[in-house]
Amino acid sequence: MLRRPKPTDSEADILREQEKFLTSGATSAANVIRRPDKRRGEAGGGGEDHSGENGGSQKDVVTIEDLPDQLPSLTPAPPKKSRFKASRVTFEDEDAGERLDRQDTHISAVLSRIVERDTSSSPISLPAFTGIAFPKVMHRSATGSQVPLPSASGKKSIFARQIAAQRLKEGKTPLHRAPEAARKHEPREQNLPPEISMDTDQPTTVSSPCLVSGRGLVGPDSSGDIMRIHKDNQAKIQAMSQSEILDEQKKLLSQLDPRLVDFVRSRKGQSIPSSTSPSKHPEDKSSKEGFTLQNSSTESGSSSAAVLSQKPQEVEMEGVEEEEEEMSSPTAVTERNLPVKPQREWVHMDKLEPEKLEWMRDLPAPRRKRTKQAMQARFDFNGTLIPPTEDLPTHLGLHHHGEEPERAGYSLQELFLLSRSQIFQQRTLALNTLANILSKACAGEYMPILKGSVMSTLLDAGLLFLLRFALDDSVEGVMSVAVHALKALLVCAEDEECLDCTFSWFRGLSSFPLLPSAQEEEEEEEDEGLDESMKETAKEKEERKSDHDVARMDVVKGLLKMKLLPRLRYILEVVRPSPRVVHDVMAVLTRIARHSSSSATQVLNCPRLMETVMLEFLPTSWTRPSLPFPQSVYGLPLASAMKLLRVLATSGRHACARLLNSLGARERLSCLMSAEPSELPLEPSEALRITTEAYRLWAVAAGYGQACKLYIDLYPALVTALQSVHRVLAPSDPLLPLQRQRVLALLTLLTQVTHTAGCHQELQAGMVSSQGDECPPPPPVSWGHVTGLQASLLGHFKGFVKSLDNPVQKNSSLTLIPAYLLYLEAYYHQLSRQNCFKPVETLQELELLTSEVLLPLLSHNVVQDLIKNLSKSSSVICNAQSSHQGPESIPSLPNLACLGWRDRLGLVVPSSPFPLLTGLGLLLETITGIHKGLSGKFTGLLLSEPVIGYLRSCSQATPTLSHTRAWLLRHEHHLLYLLLRLAHRLVPIEREVAKHASLYHQVALVLLPWLLPGSEYLAHQLLSTIIFSKDFISEGHSGGPEAVELGELKLHEEKHHHASPSLQTVGALLREACIQLPSIRGCFLTHLAHLESFVLVSRDALLGRNPWINSHLLPELTGPTVPSDWPYLPLVSLYERTGVSNGGGLAVEELPQGTLGTVTHCLQWLLLLEVWREEALKVIPPVAKLARLSCVFLCSGDLFLEKPVQKLAWGLFRLLTRQSRLDSLDLNVPPPGLASFQDLYTALLAQYEAVSFGDRLFGCWVLVPLQRRYNASMRLAVFGEHVGMLRSLGVTLEQLSIPIERFTSPPEDSLPLLRLYFRSLVTGTLRPCWCPVLYVVALSHVNSFIFSQDAAAQEVEAARHGMLRKIYYLTDEVLKKHLLLFRLPQPRSDVGFDMYDQLPPIRAKRLESIVGLQDSSDDKGD
């Protein structure tokens, strides 16, 4: 048997006994019971293992993968954490005994803090004596003697009511009621807002303090002390005016803790008598709290709550008080007021319960609050915002028992709550209301009247999860409205209309993916330092994120991660909903396909989704519906389903091939295209829509070189459709807009087929030469299959040009002419590449086309009126959102902002000249390339006043890049490029056009950094032809360099002093740069060679090389193709290869071959731009220019010492340090691409100390950041860490082109820097022969500091006295004289500054007082 431990046992004895116990296997006398953690949802239980008890009767458990045990909340909340656990930090190797000794404290530490409460003055009440041994038993039947309780006191127990009755019988007052007399004579306090808690007009006297009672104070007269203090306070308050009371109150509120203020107000609220009339002092809790719109989950933490802002005329007071219309107080509910009198035989109706009957009253009218505070937004079932003062009838169903029952409508929080109701009608109502709110929010209707974003608020509150859960509802009605709400969130109908309108434009079938802007992820920092094989891929990171995190960054990705596609497939395949739901699902799928190519692939890969769409909504045979609007669209072809196929095909050629071959889209096209729309068993408008979408899908497929066999099979149907063009475009046809879109889609199809057929010959030859390796197969359609259509289409084109004179047909003609121009451009572009090309016949044909069609079209008054709208419709010049209230946009769900596009000027409206001019420009680019003699005939287009004004406005514009503008900017960039290409042909041969060469060159320079992804070929063409062309830099051959030399000479004469070396040769440098323009062009093209693959892809798309195109979806919109600072690109790339520390590239001696030439060419181009094209560089901040030019000094040890580099760098330095440039040079702002300028400057200082050899140019570069207006940290770095460089910084005041006053004014106020100045002067580190500029700067600041009369801190004053005394006792008389007698900087002086002949009296007196004080103290010490 084990013995019990004894007090005499040591620790070793106890451990030995414990080991014996454990080895014996005996049961313990006590069991440890683990208490369940309610926060984690753990089940309770003892410490025993119950597995044995249930071993014989185990239940079968079915588990499903990925099914959570609990339903997730709408807004994922962070796990709850214990406040105490966070403070208990333990380590594995820490001894538990040491931790116990450290935390254990003696009981004296607790007892020493106990303060006993003084109860000497507290009354002691003894129990009442009764004549019976036990209290009398109270029966429930004896209720007549009980005291009736007021309704405000709430429900009381039977015992409490009996005690109250007994006290009333004894003549005492019940505990819950105050005497009537006391209530009448008790002073009333106005119930003001929280900011004003007393009546300042007539202060009332309170008999006793409300907060302090005096209980617990030691002393016999503690209550008397409290009353004396209270009377003193009352006397002071009565002696103060109203304004003084308010001032003191504001001062107290600003000093006290807000929680203490709330406590005081709560105590004061308790002291207010209950009989205060609510009509005189209304208190609306929700108005105090600001009526802010709360989310349904507090964890979302959304700061962008939508709140209703009052109209200006409703805000009449500037103060904080609220005025409300006087309302009569409601009368109390009594038996007389009851509409039905209760009878005795009615069970449980004998007692009146006013608090239960109160809510059955008629609602009071909404109060008109005259306040500046925000109020909660409320909506009706249509999503319309209800004004807070509108009194709506109750039969509308908008009143409910919420926070404000008198106000009609539902807040967003209440709608979220209602959407989770157990009654499916309420869920349906709430979701339908949310859908209407989303539609209006996307349309921007709430932006003028609501603060914050409704869309952001809803998404932050968990709207996506709410809709996703609603899609899983078993009730079809709830599911349908959830789909409708999802469509309202994702899809903007006007965006889709605009994209459909631009489909027939040049490259209109291409579009940018609607991906959110790329944002830096915090997870990237976790991978730093890891091996490449250990880093997580982007897919792994995406899978590791929660649904909430993914949806917060990208709404569409979040929905895909929440398995939206399988659910939509289930709805279409199994539920088979109504037509509206089907159209909504198609719109949602189309928006998902526009998101990215990966999203489109997920739609295609979703099991049975596309099969269901093809089978149910694109059948090959169907019967005509009996009703115009059938009850079910299953078994009928839908235009929305065909559009979904078209958008999916746009994502890539492989997706298009899957649709055509695997899913049967080819058979659907053949079925729909083989008959006229009027012959299809469909409603006429739906037949036109679906055939239009079919043509567009076919055009997309032909854009890849696919579905061309279908062209041969359906050639008769296409010819029939072309012959009926003029017939179907009758002005009286009510479906004329749909007929136009169908004809445009047909012309787009023929244009793409022509491009594909033109590549047949090249592919045939390539396949023969390469034997089929790495060469696409030739398409089935050849050039002979498409030549027969040209004559017919040219005849149509001439007819539409003539019909411009007919006002009835003018709109149709203007709509269709651009598509005919694009077809003719494709035909002649591909014709010139064929073996059957006949130059003579083609030239004659082009001359006839120009004289008979193109020139009359260009000179037509209708077209001239269109051209006048060029600047008004421009997206570059006019920000489309500036005058129009755009829709709500959120970063995680980008849109095109096309809301209301028909009502404002823009590129897409019928009055826009952009489609016509773009088509004409493309045709002119092609035919002038074939027949160069035709170029001169179109001089009038470039010289027209609207075009010149438009180009001049573009050269000064700075458009912003975003999804809402990129899709329009892309089309405008095409027009600008085509105008510049026409100018490139005309400038060398037309003198009038050459006069505007500098304007065209300026436009080319600003257009280059605007070009978006997918336009790399245009950038390459601009660099190759226009930007470095001598013809467009007219200043180079018209006296430009000579004019610069004269300007420099005049500036030199005005300044009357020697300038920096090589500054008079800027003109010669410009002449040399003009000669070297071909070499400069080669230099920049070499450094942009990394874009070659993108240039080739862009070339194939823009030149119609369809079989080589892989996707019509443009690259992701991450930024412009060429950076805005591209002129500095050679310098930056050279620095990255050779100047980066820690093995960033080559050694100094191993500079790449041709580095000197590269740097020289780059500096020549920069000098040319700074002198003649300064406007083109305005997008680059001056600090970025200085930082990038610093790479000349950082990339090598001696590169900056080369003579060509020296001359060019001196010239650029002079240009950068002009007066206007210095004012805009802000080094406190970090340059683009750098964390701060100070880091770059530190590297410059280290490089100067290492390899400068006292170079004056490098010295000037180092001196620029030392100006007084910049951060003192850079001056501290020079005089602190790099003080040794002062010996070699020999730049003189004459060589420095910056005024010395920029270094010396205002006086320095940094005491550490002043001490460093003084130390460098006194120790001889800074001398005028070594560093003239900084010597003058240090003298100026030290002199100003020691003789300053400004009041300063004791430390500063002591430093002044110390410096003066040390200067006075200096043995270096020259330095002493300079420090004491310094007057002003003077660059013309030999020493660089002026000096006093003797100290001014005030300075002499100050010196004497300080030095004399020191002498007297020394004498006393002796």
Side-chain angles (χ1 to χ4, degrees):
M1 180 180 292
L2 299 174
R3 66 182 184 87
R4 296 179 63 83
K6 298 179 180 179
T8 58
D9 288 347
S10 64
E11 186 175 359
D13 297 332
I14 295 176
L15 291 175
R16 193 181 306 111
E17 293 295 326
Q18 178 184 349
E19 187 174 359
K20 288 182 181 180
F21 171 77
L22 294 176
T23 55
S24 65
T27 58
S28 58
N31 291 331
V32 178
I33 298 177
R34 179 174 175 267
R35 298 182 64 186
D37 192 342
K38 296 180 179 179
R39 295 172 299 177
R40 299 181 180 178
E42 297 178 356
E48 304 92 17
D49 187 7
H50 296 279
S51 60
E53 298 175 7
N54 300 331
S57 60
Q58 290 186 355
K59 298 181 180 179
D60 294 335
V61 180
V62 180
T63 60
I64 303 176
E65 290 186 352
D66 300 332
L67 184 65
D69 296 333
Q70 296 180 354
L71 288 176
S73 61
L74 287 181
T75 302
K80 296 182 179 179
K81 299 179 180 179
S82 172
R83 294 180 299 167
F84 309 102
K85 185 177 180 180
S87 61
R88 297 196 294 265
V89 180
T90 59
F91 302 93
E92 294 181 358
D93 56 348
E94 186 177 3
D95 188 12
E98 294 180 0
R99 188 168 70 250
L100 181 62
D101 294 338
R102 184 172 62 251
Q103 295 179 358
D104 191 16
T105 57
H106 195 262
I107 193 172
S108 60
V110 181
L111 294 178
S112 63
R113 290 193 293 268
I114 295 178
V115 179
E116 187 176 358
R117 182 184 182 92
D118 180 46
T119 58
S120 59
S121 59
S122 301
I124 300 175
S125 58
L126 298 175
F129 292 97
T130 59
I132 57 178
F134 294 98
K136 183 180 178 181
V137 177
M138 290 181 270
H139 296 277
R140 296 191 61 177
S141 58
T143 58
S145 62
Q146 295 182 7
V147 181
L149 298 177
S151 60
S153 62
K155 187 176 181 180
K156 295 291 185 180
S157 66
I158 299 176
F159 179 74
R161 284 182 288 185
Q162 291 289 349
I163 294 298
Q166 183 178 354
R167 292 177 63 87
L168 187 63
K169 186 182 298 183
E170 294 175 0
K172 300 179 181 179
T173 305
L175 295 177
H176 61 268
R177 300 186 64 183
E180 290 296 328
R183 292 208 299 267
K184 288 180 181 179
H185 298 297
E186 207 170 324
R188 293 184 301 173
E189 182 185 349
Q190 286 191 353
N191 189 10
L192 295 176
E195 291 83 357
I196 302 176
S197 62
M198 63 176 58
D199 191 350
T200 55
D201 294 333
Q202 186 177 358
T204 54
T205 302
V206 183
S207 60
S208 62
C210 301
L211 297 177
V212 183
S213 62
R215 294 179 59 192
L217 294 179
V218 181
D221 196 19
S222 58
S223 59
D225 295 337
I226 294 299
M227 288 305 301
R228 281 195 297 273
I229 295 174
H230 175 66
K231 292 178 180 179
D232 188 19
N233 292 338
Q234 288 290 334
K236 289 183 179 179
I237 290 177
Q238 291 179 356
M240 297 170 67
S241 64
Q242 181 179 2
S243 60
E244 291 174 345
I245 292 176
L246 291 175
D247 292 341
E248 291 296 327
Q249 184 189 40
K250 291 179 180 178
K251 187 184 300 183
L252 277 176
L253 290 176
S254 63
Q255 294 174 351
L256 294 178
D257 186 0
R259 291 176 296 182
L260 179 59
V261 176
D262 295 338
F263 169 73
V264 173
R265 285 174 177 163
S266 65
R267 290 293 301 270
K268 191 168 184 61
Q270 295 174 7
S271 66
I272 295 177
S274 60
S275 63
T276 305
S277 175
S279 63
K280 294 184 179 181
H281 312 290
E283 183 72 17
D284 198 335
K285 178 181 177 182
S286 55
S287 65
K288 276 188 178 182
E289 297 174 354
F291 292 85
T292 55
L293 177 63
Q294 300 176 351
N295 295 334
S296 66
S297 177
T298 57
E299 287 86 4
S300 64
S302 172
S303 61
S304 57
V307 289
L308 179 63
S309 58
Q310 294 291 322
K311 296 181 181 180
Q313 59 267 23
E314 292 181 358
V315 181
E316 297 181 358
M317 294 186 63
E318 295 294 332
V320 294
E321 291 185 280
E322 296 180 1
E323 293 183 3
E324 296 183 359
E325 296 179 359
E326 291 292 333
M327 299 177 62
S328 59
S329 59
T331 58
V333 178
T334 61
E335 291 189 7
R336 297 178 181 178
N337 299 337
L338 293 178
V340 179
K341 305 299 180 183
Q343 304 297 326
R344 288 184 175 275
E345 59 271 15
W346 292 356
V347 182
H348 302 307
M349 295 295 290
D350 56 340
K351 183 179 178 182
L352 185 67
E353 297 178 294
E355 62 273 12
K356 292 184 179 180
L357 298 173
E358 191 68 32
W359 67 272
M360 299 180 63
R361 287 177 175 273
D362 291 337
L363 288 173
R367 289 169 289 181
R368 184 181 182 87
K369 297 180 176 61
R370 303 177 181 272
T371 175
K372 290 183 178 180
Q373 294 181 351
M375 301 182 68
Q376 193 175 40
R378 293 190 173 274
F379 306 87
D380 64 9
F381 298 133
N382 295 323
T384 305
L385 198 65
I386 300 178
T389 58
E390 187 168 352
D391 189 8
L392 297 177
T394 56
H395 71 269
L396 298 178
L398 296 174
H399 293 80
H400 54 90
H401 310 298
E403 295 180 354
E404 303 166 296
E406 71 276 6
R407 286 189 60 193
Y410 286 80
S411 66
L412 296 183
Q413 181 182 359
E414 292 163 351
L415 288 173
F416 268 64
L417 187 64
L418 194 63
S419 65
R420 295 184 299 236
S421 170
Q422 294 184 357
I423 303 173
F424 76 89
Q425 291 92 341
Q426 293 182 348
R427 297 200 300 272
T428 305
L429 184 67
L431 290 171
N432 190 58
T433 305
L434 284 174
N436 295 331
I437 292 173
L438 284 171
S439 300
K440 293 181 181 296
C442 291
E445 294 187 13
Y446 300 136
M447 295 188 71
I449 50 179
L450 286 182
K451 295 178 181 178
S453 171
V454 175
M455 297 281 288
S456 299
T457 302
L458 289 171
L459 289 176
D460 291 341
L463 177 68
L464 280 186
F465 296 90
L466 178 69
L467 297 181
R468 182 62 188 89
F469 296 155
L471 287 176
D472 293 336
D473 203 299
S474 58
V475 180
E476 182 179 348
V478 177
M479 194 185 310
S480 300
V481 294
V483 171
H484 184 58
L486 192 63
K487 183 246 184 183
L489 173 66
L490 297 179
V491 183
C492 179
E494 296 190 68
D495 287 358
E496 294 293 333
E497 289 178 9
C498 284
L499 290 175
D500 292 343
C501 287
T502 58
F503 182 84
S504 58
W505 291 15
F506 175 61
R507 299 302 303 163
L509 48 83
S510 300
S511 61
F512 287 105
L514 293 179
L515 282 167
S517 300
Q519 299 181 5
E520 296 182 359
E521 299 286 344
E522 297 179 358
E523 289 82 358
E524 294 179 0
E525 301 177 358
E526 302 176 0
D527 293 343
E528 291 183 0
L530 295 178
D531 187 55
E532 289 295 331
S533 60
M534 299 179 63
K535 291 183 178 180
E536 288 184 328
T537 62
K539 185 177 181 181
E540 292 174 345
K541 289 182 179 179
E542 196 74 26
E543 292 176 352
R544 187 164 53 88
K545 293 180 181 178
S546 65
D547 295 350
H548 173 71
D549 293 335
V550 175
R552 183 171 50 86
M553 304 298 296
D554 191 332
V555 170
V556 174
K557 272 190 178 180
L559 289 171
L560 292 176
K561 189 174 175 63
M562 287 187 268
K563 310 294 188 204
L564 174 68
L565 295 179
R567 187 59 186 174
L568 294 181
R569 190 270 313 160
Y570 173 83
I571 293 174
L572 292 178
E573 184 182 24
V574 179
V575 180
R576 301 174 72 87
S578 62
R580 190 189 78 160
V581 179
V582 172
H583 287 292
D584 289 345
V585 171
M586 295 300 164
V588 169
L589 292 175
T590 303
R591 175 60 179 84
I592 293 175
R594 289 196 186 277
H595 175 266
S596 61
S597 58
S598 62
S599 300
T601 304
Q602 291 188 54
V603 174
L604 282 173
N605 293 339
C606 181
R608 301 200 311 277
L609 174 59
M610 292 309 301
E611 288 81 356
T612 302
V613 172
M614 301 297 290
L615 179 65
E616 300 291 351
F617 309 113
L618 288 173
T620 54
S621 62
W622 67 93
T623 58
R624 182 184 294 273
S626 58
L627 299 175
F629 302 100
Q631 299 296 322
S632 175
V633 292
Y634 280 80
L636 298 176
L638 294 182
S640 57
M642 187 63 73
K643 181 177 181 178
L644 172 62
L645 299 190
R646 187 245 298 179
V647 176
L648 289 171
T650 306
S651 64
R653 64 165 44 249
H654 298 294
C656 184
R658 286 181 61 182
L659 290 172
L660 292 174
N661 302 322
S662 302
L663 295 173
R666 191 188 307 271
E667 290 76 11
R668 271 72 175 180
L669 288 176
S670 178
C671 174
L672 293 171
M673 297 292 97
S674 58
E676 287 287 323
S678 58
E679 299 173 358
L680 295 175
L682 288 171
E683 194 265 333
S685 61
E686 184 64 21
L688 287 175
R689 290 191 183 94
I690 195 168
T691 52
T692 301
E693 288 298 336
Y695 278 133
R696 289 171 178 167
L697 172 61
W698 194 358
V700 171
Y704 297 122
Q706 300 174 358
C708 292
K709 182 68 168 60
L710 202 59
Y711 168 81
I712 300 174
D713 297 339
L714 297 179
Y715 185 81
L718 294 176
V719 172
T720 303
L722 283 176
Q723 291 173 349
S724 62
V725 166
H726 286 284
R727 176 175 55 83
V728 299
L729 294 178
S732 59
D733 190 354
L735 301 177
L736 180 60
L738 296 178
Q739 294 284 8
R740 287 178 192 162
Q741 292 298 321
R742 178 175 173 272
V743 174
L744 286 173
L746 173 60
L747 294 174
T748 304
L749 166 65
L750 297 179
T751 302
Q752 295 300 326
V753 172
T754 303
H755 276 303
T756 302
C759 300
H760 181 276
Q761 179 179 299
E762 181 182 354
L763 289 173
Q764 189 73 34
M767 187 177 65
V768 172
S769 61
S770 63
Q771 298 181 353
D773 295 336
E774 298 181 0
C775 181
V781 61
S782 62
W783 186 248
H785 292 107
V786 298
T787 53
L789 295 177
Q790 189 264 346
S792 175
L793 288 170
L794 183 59
H796 289 178
F797 178 46
K798 293 179 180 178
F800 283 118
V801 172
K802 291 180 180 179
S803 63
L804 287 174
D805 297 325
N806 188 349
V808 179
Q809 300 178 354
K810 181 184 68 173
N811 292 333
S812 297
S813 299
L814 286 177
T815 304
L816 297 176
I817 284 176
Y820 282 100
L821 290 171
L822 292 179
Y823 169 79
L824 292 175
E825 184 274 334
Y827 177 81
Y828 287 113
H829 174 72
Q830 299 296 341
L831 175 64
S832 61
R833 302 168 56 192
Q834 306 301 316
N835 293 333
C836 61
F837 176 59
K838 299 177 181 179
V840 177
E841 295 180 3
T842 305
L843 295 182
Q844 293 175 353
E845 183 179 343
L846 292 178
E847 289 177 355
L848 287 175
L849 176 67
T850 301
S851 59
E852 294 180 359
V853 184
L854 297 183
L855 290 177
L857 172 66
L858 194 57
S859 60
H860 200 282
N861 57 352
V862 175
V863 177
Q864 289 297 318
D865 292 339
L866 270 185
I867 295 177
K868 292 178 182 178
N869 296 330
L870 200 56
S871 296
K872 297 178 181 179
S873 304
S874 169
S875 180
V876 170
I877 302 172
C878 307
N879 186 355
Q881 306 301 326
S882 59
S883 59
H884 174 75
Q885 187 67 49
E888 289 189 14
S889 60
I890 51 178
S892 59
L893 190 64
N895 56 24
L896 304 185
C898 298
L899 188 73
W901 60 277
R902 293 185 180 88
D903 303 328
R904 64 178 191 268
L905 291 173
L907 265 70
V908 194
V909 295
S911 60
S912 170
F914 282 92
L916 178 62
L917 289 180
T918 303
L920 185 60
L922 277 168
L923 183 57
L924 295 183
E925 168 70 9
T926 299
I927 66 175
T928 53
I930 301 173
H931 191 327
K932 294 180 173 54
L934 296 177
S935 303
K937 297 183 179 294
F938 300 98
T939 305
L941 176 62
L942 280 181
L943 295 179
S944 63
E945 185 176 346
V947 173
I948 292 294
Y950 169 67
L951 293 177
R952 188 170 287 115
S953 300
C954 286
S955 66
Q956 302 171 358
T958 54
T960 56
L961 180 60
S962 63
H963 277 287
T964 58
R965 307 195 65 197
W967 72 283
L968 289 177
L969 289 173
R970 184 173 67 95
H971 294 293
E972 192 159 357
H973 294 165
H974 291 159
L975 176 60
L976 285 171
Y977 169 77
L978 294 170
L979 291 176
L980 293 175
R981 289 291 297 172
L982 182 59
H984 179 251
R985 298 188 186 278
L986 291 176
V987 165
I989 61 176
E990 292 290 339
R991 181 172 298 181
E992 291 297 322
V993 178
K995 292 180 180 179
H996 301 281
S998 60
L999 173 61
Y1000 303 138
H1001 191 244
Q1002 177 79 16
V1003 173
L1005 287 172
V1006 298
L1007 175 62
L1008 180 64
W1010 291 352
L1011 294 175
L1012 302 175
S1015 302
E1016 291 84 1
Y1017 177 71
L1018 303 184
H1020 180 269
Q1021 288 296 101
L1022 288 176
L1023 290 169
S1024 303
T1025 56
I1026 298 177
I1027 288 181
F1028 298 103
S1029 173
K1030 297 178 183 179
D1031 296 329
F1032 285 86
I1033 306 177
S1034 56
E1035 294 86 350
H1037 50 78
S1038 61
E1042 291 77 9
V1044 173
E1045 286 179 340
L1046 290 175
E1048 289 288 342
L1049 184 60
K1050 182 178 180 181
L1051 183 65
H1052 168 65
E1053 292 175 351
E1054 291 176 355
K1055 290 191 174 181
H1056 299 292
H1057 64 83
H1058 299 290
S1060 304
S1062 307
L1063 286 182
Q1064 290 83 7
T1065 61
V1066 172
L1069 294 175
L1070 290 173
R1071 270 193 297 270
E1072 180 66 21
C1074 292
I1075 296 173
Q1076 295 294 330
L1077 279 175
S1079 301
I1080 296 173
R1081 175 179 58 194
C1083 169
F1084 279 93
L1085 288 176
T1086 302
H1087 281 83
L1088 292 171
H1090 63 281
L1091 297 175
E1092 181 180 3
S1093 60
F1094 300 98
V1095 171
L1096 295 177
V1097 172
S1098 175
R1099 180 199 64 181
D1100 294 339
L1102 294 171
L1103 296 184
R1105 294 166 54 86
N1106 290 348
W1108 286 270
I1109 297 176
N1110 288 322
S1111 175
H1112 293 306
L1113 202 62
L1114 296 171
E1116 183 180 350
L1117 189 64
T1118 56
T1121 300
V1122 180
S1124 59
D1125 60 345
W1126 67 270
Y1128 298 88
L1129 190 59
L1131 295 179
V1132 176
S1133 60
L1134 182 62
Y1135 169 71
E1136 290 175 350
R1137 284 190 294 169
T1138 63
V1140 182
S1141 59
N1142 299 328
L1146 305 175
V1148 174
E1149 293 81 5
E1150 299 177 356
L1151 281 175
Q1153 188 177 2
T1155 298
L1156 178 60
T1158 298
V1159 174
T1160 303
H1161 292 327
C1162 180
L1163 294 178
Q1164 286 175 334
W1165 180 243
L1166 289 171
L1167 184 67
L1168 188 147
L1169 293 180
E1170 287 286 353
V1171 175
W1172 290 332
R1173 298 291 183 268
E1174 185 179 354
E1175 284 292 320
L1177 296 178
K1178 68 179 181 180
V1179 294
I1180 308 175
V1183 63
K1185 296 180 181 179
L1186 186 66
R1188 279 144 181 76
L1189 284 174
S1190 300
C1191 296
V1192 175
F1193 304 99
L1194 294 174
C1195 63
S1196 172
D1198 57 354
L1199 182 63
F1200 63 91
L1201 297 176
E1202 298 290 342
K1203 190 174 181 180
V1205 176
Q1206 278 271 321
K1207 291 182 178 180
L1208 292 165
W1210 270 117
L1212 287 168
F1213 179 77
R1214 275 293 305 275
L1215 294 172
L1216 288 175
T1217 54
R1218 286 176 294 181
Q1219 185 72 21
S1220 57
R1221 295 295 184 87
L1222 285 175
D1223 294 336
S1224 59
L1225 180 62
D1226 186 5
L1227 302 184
N1228 297 324
V1229 177
L1234 292 176
S1236 68
F1237 185 83
Q1238 186 175 349
D1239 298 338
L1240 177 68
Y1241 187 66
T1242 303
L1244 269 177
L1245 294 180
Q1247 185 80 346
Y1248 183 87
E1249 283 186 305
V1251 298
S1252 69
F1253 304 107
D1255 180 64
R1256 299 295 187 266
L1257 172 63
F1258 203 167
C1260 289
W1261 217 268
V1262 169
L1263 286 173
V1264 171
L1266 300 181
Q1267 298 175 60
R1268 177 64 182 86
R1269 60 190 288 248
Y1270 301 133
N1271 198 332
S1273 58
M1274 291 182 280
R1275 299 191 291 278
L1276 286 169
V1278 172
F1279 284 89
E1281 303 169 8
H1282 302 276
V1283 70
M1285 64 180 291
L1286 298 177
R1287 182 157 188 167
S1288 59
L1289 196 57
V1291 179
T1292 64
L1293 295 176
E1294 296 176 350
Q1295 293 169 342
L1296 185 65
S1297 57
I1298 305 175
I1300 191 63
E1301 289 77 17
R1302 288 184 173 268
F1303 295 87
T1304 60
S1305 179
E1308 184 62 62
D1309 54 2
S1310 173
L1311 186 57
L1313 183 56
L1314 288 165
R1315 286 173 174 163
L1316 289 177
Y1317 283 159
F1318 184 72
R1319 186 180 69 178
S1320 61
L1321 289 170
V1322 172
T1323 59
T1325 308
L1326 183 60
R1327 298 183 182 180
C1329 57
W1330 292 345
C1331 188
V1333 175
L1334 293 185
Y1335 183 80
V1336 175
V1337 172
L1339 278 181
S1340 174
H1341 288 303
V1342 173
N1343 180 270
S1344 300
F1345 177 70
I1346 60 178
F1347 289 115
S1348 174
Q1349 302 295 322
D1350 298 334
Q1354 184 177 358
E1355 181 186 5
V1356 176
E1357 197 64 32
R1360 287 174 180 168
H1361 293 179
M1363 287 184 187
L1364 261 177
R1365 286 193 293 269
K1366 291 176 183 177
I1367 292 172
Y1368 183 76
Y1369 292 112
L1370 274 177
T1371 57
D1372 188 348
E1373 293 296 332
V1374 176
L1375 178 60
K1376 177 181 178 181
K1377 182 180 179 181
H1378 289 174
L1379 284 169
L1380 294 177
L1381 301 180
F1382 178 87
R1383 184 177 183 181
L1384 287 174
Q1386 181 53 260
R1388 300 179 186 177
S1389 174
D1390 295 337
V1391 293
F1393 54 89
D1394 289 339
M1395 293 191 299
Y1396 293 104
D1397 296 333
Q1398 59 181 4
L1399 273 178
I1402 188 171
R1403 292 192 173 189
K1405 184 177 180 181
R1406 176 175 176 80
L1407 177 62
E1408 183 180 356
S1409 63
I1410 294 175
V1411 176
L1413 181 62
Q1414 175 68 21
D1415 292 341
S1416 62
S1417 63
D1418 293 343
D1419 294 341
K1420 289 180 181 179
D1422 295 339

